[in-house]
Amino acid sequence: MDAARRHARKRPFTVAGLAASSLAVLFLLAQSIVHIFLGDAPEATWLALSGGMAAFAATAAGAIPVVVVRSMPQKLEDTQLGFAAGMMLAASSFSLILPGLAAAQEISGAPLSAAGIVVLGMGLGVVLMLGLEEFTPHEHETLGPQGPGYERLGRVWLFVFAIVLHNLPEGMAIGVGFSHADMAVGVPLTTAIAIQDIPEGLAVALAMRSAGFSARTAALAGIGSGAVEPIGALLGVGLSSGFAMAYPIGLGLAAGAMLFVVSHEVIPETHRNGHQTPATVGLMGGFALMMVLDTVLG
């Protein structure tokens, strides 16, 4: 706590932004939870939970092979992560931002107001992720240990916190996508996240394996890395299933958080080993596949 307080005093603007975005999220969540407990959105809640569990299962399926596979060629790993990044970018665009703009325009009746509503949500998502990353001790793949008090935690916990920061936005996106029980939004989004969670689960497990952890610990951590996604899905459906304006704001928030993760974590990781070209080809392939899925399933 002392380390966190000292860290906060050095970054007053970050603290203010995190506080504002957190209050907004808590407000949206509180009013939406009331609706859920009143029985206004049971179908959406179960759909969101099912989508989160599907993403969890996909992550686990990707992590299990680490028991017999200790490593893979770095170029292949970077290509797979690029593929995952492309799917996340396309999912943010086609399954979050575009439906958010449509919903916001239906409410406001003006394109400019609709864009402003979605941009507000995106800003909340980015500020929330910035604050969480700034004040959560975790293992950054390119910069090493980060956050206040990281020296007091074991590396396994730093990896766990990093995984939570990475996967929480994906779970929230699934929850937001199903918050109106709209299969045309939720199904393509969940499918895309589940597909890209397979290489992500393997990448997490292999990263822990190469860091010196046992095969069992790496596999369990990789499997556990998806456990936050059902939780994030419930949070996402809670954020967006209340008053009408919460839905486009929630879609924007999930998109902003996912775009932050792609730009801040995934793409730098795929480029740091000199494999920019195969990683970019993978990104384009993932983007194209998600575009096709959204067109066919949506």
Side-chain angles (χ1 to χ4, degrees), residues 99-154:
L101 288 171
Q105 186 164 350
E106 185 176 341
I107 295 169
S108 67
L112 183 59
S113 298
I117 291 167
V118 175
V119 169
L120 171 63
M122 292 175 66
L124 289 174
V126 171
V127 172
L128 182 64
M129 292 305 299
L130 276 171
L132 288 174
E133 184 179 74
E134 188 71 34
F135 290 97
T136 303
H138 62 285
E139 180 82 13
H140 196 287
E141 292 177 336
T142 56
L143 302 177
Q146 302 285 306
Y150 70 83
E151 65 278 355
R152 299 180 184 178
L153 297 173

Side-chain angles (χ1 to χ4, degrees), residues 71-97:
S71 63
M72 70 166 59
Q74 190 62 54
K75 182 182 291 188
L76 176 59
E77 183 176 340
D78 289 341
T79 303
Q80 288 183 344
L81 287 177
F83 177 84
M87 294 205 73
M88 290 176 72
L89 286 174
S92 298
S93 302
F94 300 121
S95 298
L96 293 173
I97 294 176

